[in-house]
Amino acid sequence: MANPEHEEILDFHDKVSVVLYRAGISVFALFLLAYAVVLIAKAGLFVVPDGIRLTILSGLVLGVVFSAANIHVYSKTVRFFIAFPGWIGMFLMITDPLHTRLWLSLGCLFITFSGIALKESFCFQVTGLKFVPFFLAAGAGLMLFELLWQSGVLLLAAGVVLLYLSKEKWQMPLHYDIGDKSRYQV
């Protein structure tokens, strides 16, 4: 996890990994907001073309891939438990082209971003981050029971908080995300 007081000298790989991690948060937040709108629309409140849904789901996966592959946490065990559910979610989504268990695929992606939100809430004081795991878990659970507009509202809230996190992250120096490289377990 990052230590903002420690200013590490970053090489090219460090800079790229931080940029990809932050880009993943941004992409995930934007596509989560879009998916929330799709869920609210599917509840019959307004119409969204069906073809957009696949693009949005792909964007959610892309955001998770960028962030999970480049997360900066000292403990490799914690890193594994944050990133691995995202890879499972991606696998489930790819192997289920009809999206019969979409709530499960998204639930795994949401576990990864819940871990990222909690990690960021320990490092930086960003309003609302500790609520993101609840919003994402409840949103996935409500999808299981086809309570779409309720799920959409919770995912909308999570998306707003993550978009705010993204904005704050892009304003921070890159070394804040890395911390002390000598403390990482490889």
Side-chain angles (χ1 to χ4, degrees):
M1 231 179 299
N3 177 2
E5 290 82 36
H6 178 83
E7 187 165 349
E8 189 71 50
I9 296 171
L10 305 181
D11 61 20
F12 177 75
H13 178 266
D14 295 329
K15 291 175 185 176
V16 169
S17 72
V18 171
V19 168
L20 287 174
Y21 174 74
R22 291 179 181 185
I25 293 171
S26 300
V27 167
F28 186 83
L30 290 170
F31 281 99
L32 186 63
L33 289 170
Y35 193 66
V37 170
V38 167
L39 286 177
I40 293 168
K42 283 181 93 175
L45 300 178
F46 52 92
V47 177
V48 173
D50 257 356
I52 289 178
R53 192 171 76 107
L54 186 57
T55 302
I56 293 170
L57 293 174
S58 299
L60 288 170
V61 170
L62 183 66
V64 168
V65 166
F66 280 178
S67 292
N70 294 289
I71 191 166
H72 303 99
V73 180
Y74 293 144
S75 167
K76 72 176 163 183
T77 303
V78 173
R79 210 169 35 236
F80 174 81
F81 281 110
I82 290 174
F84 192 67
W87 303 120
I88 292 173
M90 180 181 70
F91 175 77
L92 289 173
M93 201 168 292
I94 290 169
T95 60
D96 183 23
L98 299 178
H99 298 132
T100 57
R101 57 179 188 258
L102 184 60
W103 67 272
L104 182 59
S105 305
L106 288 173
C108 290
L109 299 180
F110 293 170
I111 290 170
T112 292
F113 256 88
S114 294
I116 288 170
L118 289 176
K119 171 232 185 250
E120 293 296 339
S121 73
F122 289 123
C123 294
F124 308 108
Q125 300 300 317
V126 176
T127 306
L129 272 178
K130 292 186 178 173
F131 295 111
V132 167
F134 167 75
F135 293 149
L136 293 176
L142 290 170
M143 276 188 265
L144 170 64
F145 297 108
E146 297 186 21
L147 298 169
L148 301 181
W149 76 264
Q150 296 92 332
S151 176
V153 168
L154 289 172
L155 297 183
L156 194 64
V160 167
V161 173
L162 288 171
L163 194 60
Y164 179 68
L165 168 66
S166 172
K167 177 188 133 342
E168 293 295 310
K169 293 292 286 179
W170 285 112
Q171 294 174 350
M172 297 175 187
L174 295 180
H175 72 86
Y176 277 22
D177 282 287
I178 298 288
D180 184 353
K181 290 197 302 188
S182 69
R183 295 183 56 197
Y184 281 91
Q185 295 175 0
V186 181

